[in-house]
Amino acid sequence: MHDVAIDIKHLSFAYRRGDDRVFSDLSLTIRNNEVTCILGHNGAGKTTLLHLIYGTLQRAEGSVTICSPNVRTYGDIFFYSGDSRQNRDLSTRQIIRFRELAFARKPDLTTVRGLVKRFNFGKHLDTPTKNLSSGNKVRSSFIAGLSFRPTLLLLDEPTNSIDPETRECLKGLVQTQKLLGSAVVLVTHDLDFAHAVANRALVIEHGEIVHEDGEIGLLGREEFTRQYLRYTAERSVDV
């Protein structure tokens, strides 16, 4: 049995008092050595759930507990979000240095070199991230984030606006992190990517888990898509 990495119990959350709740009495367990994929329409609560796990949003009721002994500080967590507010005047090398100071820990230089080589990123290490292409911005984020060998990955739409080569690199990285024992929570609309990397998929609509596939590897790609569409086709999302 896999060790529990995150234990969510009876979670409730609304952005403002008096608003409809994004979540109401949500319970969920995330395990190490697994990629858990969160699927659903825009507005279903997927990104909000990542922020509640990370602590940038505070729950109204219930609990979100990081149980994994391998997650001791924020330095053990990599939260990728395409709307990251990091200083885009900084280069990838400077971002790694900033994180080193913030986390009071050294990056793993062997990991950094391996990632730079894997992403063919050497000539971009000192380029301000604002001047990078969309694909290279994603590569930069993963190089900086994985340099500290995190054991919990929270990934919000990592395949948005990237080229096929970067996508394949990310696929390999996520699979490697799983083999290293990390817990990976992946929010995505990319069903091909989800089917390729995830062990388990949860479909969230209106803050509720409406479907779960516990063994994605046993499903063909077409069946996986069919099941997803089955559980979302008749559920509208407020805009």
Side-chain angles (χ1 to χ4, degrees):
M1 180 177 179
H2 296 287
D3 294 332
V4 173
I6 303 167
D7 189 25
I8 299 171
K9 291 182 177 178
H10 308 296
L11 175 67
S12 294
F13 173 79
Y15 276 97
R16 290 178 293 274
R17 188 182 299 274
D19 285 357
D20 291 339
R21 290 190 172 186
V22 179
F23 295 106
S24 182
D25 200 31
L26 178 75
S27 293
L28 171 64
T29 297
I30 304 294
R31 294 182 287 269
N32 294 312
N33 300 94
E34 278 194 353
V35 179
T36 300
C37 183
I38 310 294
L39 303 171
H41 287 121
N42 287 334
K46 305 182 303 298
T47 296
T48 299
L49 181 60
L50 292 187
H51 281 282
L52 287 164
I53 292 171
Y54 194 62
T56 44
L57 292 175
Q58 295 300 311
R59 66 196 182 279
E61 297 175 6
S63 62
V64 179
T65 306
I66 305 237
C67 307
S68 174
N70 299 321
V71 181
R72 299 176 299 274
T73 71
Y74 273 103
D76 295 314
I77 305 173
F78 172 42
F79 187 177
Y80 171 81
S81 178
D83 62 355
S84 173
R85 292 179 175 82
Q86 69 185 18
N87 188 335
R88 297 191 180 278
D89 289 322
L90 298 180
S91 68
T92 306
R93 195 189 305 274
Q94 290 170 324
I95 291 170
I96 293 173
R97 175 58 178 161
F98 175 82
R99 293 189 178 199
E100 178 182 348
L101 295 173
F103 298 147
R105 62 193 290 180
K106 295 287 185 181
D108 185 285
L109 295 182
T110 300
T111 298
V112 175
R113 295 187 190 104
L115 290 168
V116 169
K117 182 177 181 180
R118 188 169 192 167
F119 277 132
N120 191 25
F121 199 79
K123 62 183 178 182
H124 303 297
L125 273 172
D126 295 303
T127 302
T129 56
K130 66 183 180 183
N131 295 333
L132 296 174
S133 67
S134 296
N136 277 327
K137 285 175 182 173
V138 175
R139 295 181 188 212
S140 170
S141 292
F142 272 79
I143 291 169
L146 296 182
S147 293
F148 297 87
R149 303 185 68 181
T151 51
L152 172 59
L153 280 68
L154 307 175
L155 308 180
D156 189 9
E157 298 286 2
T159 63
N160 273 0
S161 303
I162 62 173
D163 56 274
E165 182 184 0
T166 302
R167 187 177 181 278
E168 288 303 304
C169 285
L170 292 188
K171 186 188 298 182
L173 285 176
V174 171
Q175 291 169 334
T176 298
Q177 289 299 129
K178 175 177 65 177
L179 293 174
L180 291 173
S182 298
V184 183
V185 185
L186 168 67
V187 164
T188 187
H189 290 292
D190 186 340
L191 296 183
D192 285 325
F193 189 79
H195 185 262
V197 303
N199 303 91
R200 175 183 178 215
L202 305 172
V203 180
I204 292 182
E205 292 298 329
H206 300 300
E208 298 180 358
I209 297 172
V210 298
H211 180 64
E212 177 176 355
D213 281 318
E215 295 290 342
I216 292 178
L218 300 179
L219 295 176
R221 170 66 179 83
E222 291 184 2
E223 176 62 16
F224 177 64
T225 301
R226 188 189 70 80
Q227 288 199 18
Y228 170 73
L229 294 175
R230 174 187 172 191
Y231 286 96
T232 57
E234 297 180 356
R235 293 172 180 270
S236 63
V237 176
D238 295 332
V239 177

